[in-house]
Amino acid sequence: MDRPVHAVVLRPGPRIRQSLSAALDGSGPALFPLSPDLPEPALWRLLHAVAPATVETAGGTHRFVPRDPAVPVGGVPVAADTAVLVATAGSTGRPKIVELSARALRFSAAATLARIEAAAGDPWLCSLPTSHIAGIQVIVRALLAGSELIVHPRFDVAAIARAATDAPHLAVVPTQLRRLVEAGVDLSRFRSLLLGGAPPPVDLLETARTAGARLFTTYGSSETSGGCVYDGVPLTGVRADVGQDGRIRLAGPQLFERYHGDPARTAAARDGDWFVTEDLGVIESGRLRVLGRTDDVINTGGEKVNATEVAARLSCHPLVREVVVVGRPDPEWGERVTAVVVPAGPVPQLDDLRAWVRATLPAHAAPRELELVAAIPLLPSGKPDRRRLQRGELP
């Protein structure tokens, strides 16, 4: 435990790339990227959880001075094999911070470059937060390929469209892809579009591909150095399986080293060479299909409902533009299936959506509540803020 940690609280830009490069080649400290948009209590919770030696903000670099007297002054070093630390849950509850090695990050980046047939020197466009693994990996791929990195600190459809010719590779989440599609951006100008972060609606995939997008759907997490299964097929060197409990299991050089300061949580997530995810899946015709998260299961009236499966069905309804399905407390049913919908023009009716779901799924999977919103609230990663939706805190 002798490698210092450098926390960077900055938007994507040259400093993140420089710090990440030094973390990967060993010439600099381990990197702990954090979003400058975090509320102050959440930011300090994460800083106290890691206790970096230094913190870099827009105002410069300074020695970390904790506010909590129980946190050591001067920083707590990490293991020599840790290059990057990524917080996957820290805004509420106990922080979960993943430690990744340079080897794992490089392996993942190289395998991705090979799968999408990216040429050496091909520029990459970064429009994802670099406090999350998806944004970090865009930079790692550019570093590995010796490529130019074009950075957009915030996602802007017009700016992305202008950059398409100069930066042929782009990673996006479904919400961002939908905005590009609806703006009429010529997606064929990108040599590849990597889509991850959340299950994509079927209609969105079809529309994007019809518009000429060379699209790769990706599945992975911070613990797997980002996407490691593309279009249901593991990257070369990666293994995917489904356990008897239905949970997806992944193995390969892309796996994380440990959860920071939490050996019990690390042990619970590992089974020998395998990382046991919190996602449910099946393997069909040699391809992995993700069904949803274990905590996406809604218990209603003694029946279990897969929220992801219901959302996938609803997303095909002609009056549904975007949808998230959650379980909300209910005195009679325990949880009620709730569909939070962004309408696609005319307002859909609950009875119509219930009938639509019941045409292909059991009756208990049909939503009992419909909430209409102008936009789905998102986390900084671009994923739907499911906790907020479960609490009914709508925009």
Side-chain angles (χ1 to χ4, degrees), residues 5 9 15 24 27 90 120 145 153 208 225 267 280 315 328 350 385-386:
V5 177
V9 191
R15 282 297 302 144
L24 292 176
S27 63
S225 299
L280 301 172
S315 71
R328 289 182 179 167
L350 177 59
D385 190 338
R386 299 186 66 86

Side-chain angles (χ1 to χ4, degrees), residues 348-364:
Q349 300 300 309
L350 177 59
D351 287 346
D352 185 28
L353 296 184
R354 283 177 55 81
W356 182 263
V357 170
R358 291 169 65 179
T360 60
L361 296 175
H364 58 258

